[in-house]
Amino acid sequence: MRSWWRAHPLIGDSALAALVTVISTALVLVTRRYGLGAEGYRPPDAVNIALIALTGLTVAGRRVWPFVLLCAAAVPQAALAVLDYDGGAAGLATLILLYTVAAYRGLALSLAAAGVALFGYATALGVSPYMEDWTRHALAFVLAVAVTVTGRSVRLRRAYLAELVDRAERLERARDADTRAARAEERSRIARELHDVVAHHVSVMTVQAAAARKVLDTRPEAAKDALVAIEEMGRTAMREMRGIVGVLRTDGDTGELTPQPGMVDLPGLVDQMREAGLRAQLWVEGDRHPLPPGIDLAAYRLVQEALTNSLRHAGPAARAWVTVRHEPSGLTVHVEDDGRGGPGAFTRGPGDRPGHGLVGIRERVALYGGILRIGPRQGGGFEVRARFPLKD
């Protein structure tokens, strides 16, 4: 029903206009019959009812010409005041039109509509026999202001919701475009990898097969060696092809095909942070040597978490430094920045629970018996320093 009413606004507005007219007419007749109205008004007649109907009729076209009809509604209302007729609830038409202008038109036209409504009411007061009823006048003023403010609020909320919907649609389109681009890039990468594997290995196998065919009768041992080489090359090609197409399988867990990151991946991580806007630098001191897999992963995650926090909270002009020191007895990782974030901001990201990042870092360092320090840095900013002991 709501969708149908929105699709046919003229029907709903016409029903609203009829309702305002019926209420105003009934109010005039009832108050006159039972002596509830003011004594200064003339008895209701056909002219009175016609003027009330004209006032209510303006509501029917409120969505098309709200401001024009608001000005037009002031004419029969002024006639009611001049002829000393009781208008009943005819003022509802003015309030409805005033709300429509505020809800569907700009701010300037809304203020002009409020001025027109108040001017029309003041003009009617000039010929009304009840100018001393200041309570009624104050109520009319308050209603006009309240209706205008309500209409403006509805308009702003409608615009805000429309912006949210538009933004969601744009994000959806951007996500679809990114997904298509990622798929196309992945297809191109797989095609290149497959071409390299197939072209290289098949070419070598073809040459070996041709050589084996030529020496098969005269030099059987050489032909045997060529066949062994073909077999090894085929196994290598199959293994590489399985690695390439393994990520395309959907019937199994392909996460095991990707190795865990380590300290050798720190340059790539720093480059990612630079691309994201954090001016990060990396220094590696000492002789590099193989690290235990657990410590290798823990140190990498520590640098990742620290740089992520710097990116989030250090500010747009912050710099970050990552220092990795390899020693025979341990591995030292030092991440610092010169940002303006506070302790709470450093440990809390948008939507995260307090201290979640710190807990993960402390658990990783404590798991391998390391020493961790997180806190303010001399000269401003924050630092994360961890030392992992290396045992024989």
Side-chain angles (χ1 to χ4, degrees), residues 2 11 113 139 181 192 209 221 278 349 358 361:
R2 181 178 299 178
I11 298 178
L139 179 61
R192 289 193 301 268
E221 292 298 328
L278 179 65
L358 273 179
I361 293 178

Side-chain angles (χ1 to χ4, degrees), residues 185-201 237 240-241 243-245 247:
E185 183 179 357
E186 185 66 14
R187 292 192 191 100
S188 300
R189 186 190 68 82
I190 294 174
R192 289 193 301 268
E193 295 290 340
L194 287 175
H195 176 268
D196 293 341
V197 171
V198 172
H200 172 71
H201 292 90
E240 293 186 9
M241 291 181 64
I244 294 174
V245 303
V247 295

Side-chain angles (χ1 to χ4, degrees), residues 229-251:
I230 291 174
E231 181 183 3
E232 292 296 330
M233 190 63 63
R235 294 181 184 276
T236 302
M238 290 296 297
R239 183 168 58 251
E240 293 186 9
M241 291 181 64
R242 288 194 188 99
I244 294 174
V245 303
V247 295
L248 303 178
R249 299 183 181 274
T250 58
D251 55 350

Side-chain angles (χ1 to χ4, degrees), residues 97 111 113 157 204 218 229 235 238 258 291 304 307 329 339 344 368:
L97 293 171
L111 295 178
R157 178 173 177 81
V204 174
T218 60
R235 294 181 184 276
M238 290 296 297
T258 303
L291 298 172
Q304 185 181 43
L307 289 179
S329 59
Y368 300 99

Side-chain angles (χ1 to χ4, degrees), residues 9-98:
L10 184 59
I11 298 178
D13 293 340
S14 299
L16 181 61
L19 180 62
V20 171
T21 303
V22 170
I23 292 176
S24 300
T25 304
L27 186 61
V28 170
L29 296 178
V30 169
T31 53
R32 186 67 180 184
R33 179 180 179 84
Y34 294 98
L36 301 176
E39 295 296 334
Y41 290 127
R42 296 172 59 181
D45 52 19
V47 176
N48 190 358
I49 303 302
L51 292 175
I52 292 176
L54 287 176
T55 305
L57 185 62
T58 58
V59 178
R62 67 186 186 95
R63 297 179 189 269
V64 184
W65 307 292
F67 183 77
V68 174
L69 293 177
L70 176 65
C71 298
V75 176
Q77 287 187 338
L80 288 172
V82 170
L83 299 176
D84 292 336
Y85 283 125
D86 186 4
L92 285 177
T94 301
L95 294 179
I96 293 174
L97 293 171
L98 183 60

